[in-house]
Amino acid sequence: MDAIASAQERAAVAERAVIAAYVHRYGPVAWAHAATARDGAHTWHYWWHAHLVHVLCEAQHHRPSPARRRLVDDLLRGVTLRTAGSWTTPFYDDIAWMGLALAEARPSGRARVRIARILERAVDPNVGALPWRTGSVLFNAPANGPAAMVLAPSRHRGRAAQLSAWIAATLDDPATGLVRDGIEHGVVRSEVWTYNQGVAVGAALALGDTDRAAAVVRAVERWCAADDGLFPAVGGGDGGLFAGILARYLAAAARILTGPDAARAGRLVHRNAEALWAGSRGGRFPADPRRSVRAEGEDLDLSVQLGAWITLEADVTAASALTS
């Protein structure tokens, strides 16, 4: 079996497992529930839902299916009901993730255009960036990177370039080249998360800034080199999605960049996809690719399973790019 077919088969296994365990139909729509490691409750998370829609669209690109297309429509009707038609939350990072999902699912839809307008208007002129949420004084990469990607193909491209440049100037660590989390009251929050690197790469690629994208890819490679190329794991909850987001935009880098930079981006994705697959059982994946999946705790979170599925779809993208 060639690399692309193998990656496709693995991604399909992850997709079937997520849908069977977490996506349930109530009347005319489908809800995605998240079993949480803390209390076993079933709750609905707006930004996890955005990534579910997004990865379903990636799967649709890789393995087209009318049934999957209908499921995406059902999930989006569910978002309409859950948000009373507003498509928004108080969190600008979450809104941006939904905007990116809608760019894949309904690129000409009114909700995507509305989200772009909301994000553009929320930029603080005194900072030159978007706050994490309404009323917040935290300005971070997870809000401004996705917002830049949403705005780049719109009439607000100049604003997208501003946000990407702000991340580079304000949050890049000069010692490592990695993107730090954010800035609050003038103090840089020094945490370095996988998805911060992913959104910096994605924003740069959306703006055609391949030099910037390649520089962050190289920084990620150096960061992960001590652990055989594996991404740092941060457990369940929201963190379950972080590494998958990095994989998604590294795969885009493998497709858009050339030469050694494309190859290193693809290798990072494939190494993590391989490790996740090795630790899986019955279509379920571990929160940490360094171990096997468990039938309890953080591995039960929808976010963790989505993050693994996103990584496996990213491996399809990267394999296709590097073998074409």
Side-chain angles (χ1 to χ4, degrees):
M1 184 181 296
D2 65 28
I4 298 173
S6 176
Q8 288 274 30
E9 182 178 292
R10 293 176 177 186
V13 168
E15 176 183 13
R16 288 192 296 269
V18 166
I19 291 172
Y22 300 100
V23 180
H24 308 283
R25 184 174 299 279
Y26 295 89
V29 300
W31 303 119
H33 288 291
T36 64
R38 291 179 299 280
D39 55 16
H42 286 73
T43 55
W44 189 85
H45 294 263
Y46 174 98
W47 88 282
W48 298 10
H49 211 88
H51 283 285
L52 173 60
V53 171
H54 196 151
V55 73
L56 277 165
C57 291
E58 291 168 332
Q60 183 68 0
H61 177 72
H62 294 150
R63 302 177 297 281
S65 159
R68 188 187 298 107
R69 180 68 260 178
R70 290 191 296 271
L71 177 59
V72 169
D73 289 341
D74 288 345
L75 288 166
L76 291 177
R77 279 196 294 273
V79 178
T80 302
L81 292 174
R82 285 277 186 170
T83 62
S86 72
W87 285 87
T88 62
T89 80
F91 297 88
Y92 291 119
D93 55 346
D94 293 2
I95 294 172
W97 294 123
M98 188 63 74
L100 290 172
L102 288 169
E104 298 294 324
R106 295 179 179 173
S108 59
R110 287 179 294 178
R112 185 197 63 80
V113 173
R114 181 169 184 266
I115 284 174
R117 186 168 60 248
I118 289 169
L119 294 172
E120 196 280 331
R121 291 175 178 175
V123 173
D124 186 323
N126 296 316
V127 178
L130 195 73
W132 169 54
R133 60 162 295 162
T134 56
S136 176
V137 293
L138 170 62
F139 297 82
N140 63 5
N144 286 277
M149 285 185 266
V150 171
L151 296 174
S154 74
R155 62 188 181 89
H156 305 297
R157 187 175 178 84
R159 182 71 85 186
Q162 175 189 337
L163 299 182
S164 183
W166 178 87
I167 292 173
T170 309
L171 300 181
D172 279 14
D173 182 346
T176 64
L178 294 169
V179 179
R180 295 167 291 185
D181 188 61
I183 187 167
E184 189 172 17
H185 295 299
V187 178
V188 174
R189 291 170 49 151
S190 60
E191 299 95 339
V192 177
W193 305 112
T194 44
Y195 75 153
N196 293 346
Q197 319 317 309
V199 298
V201 170
L205 293 174
L207 291 160
D209 188 352
T210 55
D211 289 343
R212 162 71 173 162
V216 179
V217 169
R218 291 193 292 269
V220 170
E221 183 183 54
R222 291 191 297 269
W223 184 34
C224 298
D227 200 8
D228 198 24
L230 293 180
F231 302 146
V234 293
D238 286 345
L241 281 164
F242 289 4
I245 291 168
L246 173 56
R248 170 180 285 145
Y249 295 108
L250 285 175
R255 179 171 50 84
I256 295 171
L257 300 181
T258 58
D261 292 319
R264 59 174 44 99
R267 281 197 304 270
L268 283 164
V269 173
H270 185 63
R271 175 70 187 94
N272 283 271
E274 286 274 294
L276 285 168
W277 185 257
S280 69
R281 184 171 66 249
R284 292 295 188 97
F285 296 85
D288 187 336
R290 296 156 189 80
R291 62 167 173 80
S292 297
V293 68
R294 299 166 181 158
E296 60 184 6
E298 62 193 12
D299 289 358
L300 298 179
D301 286 3
L302 169 61
S303 58
V304 169
Q305 300 310 313
L306 274 180
W309 178 14
I310 293 167
T311 300
L312 295 174
E313 295 291 355
D315 195 34
V316 177
T317 301
S320 300
L322 296 178
T323 57
S324 61

